[in-house]
Amino acid sequence: LYPVQPERVDDHLVESILQPSYDPNAPQVLGNIIENIMYDSDENCVDVEHIINTFEKPMLLIWGTQDAWISKEIAEKIVQLHPKAKTKFVRAGHCPQDEIPETVNEIMLQFLVREC
């Protein structure tokens, strides 16, 4: 997950990722998250493309070019579906906010100044 700056992975980061899993309700919460991504309150399959296409607010995608989990084609597809989506590709893995926080913060601040 952190191919560009693996030295950013320290005990504090690992613990912050692990901490939620210690809760006895963690499996149920994870199941609810997965289920709610796929189904709405009426148990209908959610059309993610429709949701993105009809979302009216500006959207910022900060995408790590070295992300081994989700390809940049997904970001490009989101931009096609959402006319107000902006994408910044950065040299990082799946979690640019952890790997290059200074860069991510600057990109977010610039976006907020322009869009809000």
Side-chain angles (χ1 to χ4, degrees):
L1 293 179
Y2 302 92
V4 176
Q5 294 196 35
E7 68 277 4
R8 291 285 178 128
V9 178
D10 59 15
D11 291 342
H12 176 71
L13 176 60
V14 171
E15 184 57 31
S16 72
I17 294 168
L18 287 174
Q19 186 61 39
S21 70
Y22 300 145
D23 187 295
N25 294 318
Q28 180 181 356
V29 170
L30 180 59
N32 287 343
I33 291 169
I34 292 168
E35 184 175 315
N36 289 328
I37 287 171
M38 297 172 59
Y39 298 98
D40 66 15
S41 59
D42 296 323
E43 297 299 317
N44 298 311
C45 189
V46 172
D47 183 355
V48 174
E49 288 189 10
H50 174 75
I51 291 169
I52 294 171
N53 198 23
T54 58
F55 188 74
E56 296 180 6
K57 301 293 182 187
M59 181 186 304
L60 173 64
L61 305 171
I62 302 174
W63 214 274
T65 57
Q66 308 299 312
D67 189 337
W69 281 15
I70 304 175
S71 72
K72 72 176 190 171
E73 286 77 25
I74 300 295
E76 292 165 350
K77 175 77 173 185
I78 292 169
V79 170
Q80 289 173 1
L81 293 170
H82 188 334
K84 294 183 180 179
K86 305 277 190 272
T87 307
K88 290 289 185 179
F89 291 101
V90 295
R91 190 171 177 274
H94 186 70
C95 302
Q97 72 279 6
D98 295 330
E99 201 167 10
I100 52 168
E102 300 84 3
T103 301
V104 169
N105 288 343
E106 183 60 32
I107 292 169
M108 289 181 358
L109 285 172
Q110 290 175 9
F111 176 80
L112 291 170
V113 166
R114 281 193 314 269
E115 300 295 334
C116 296

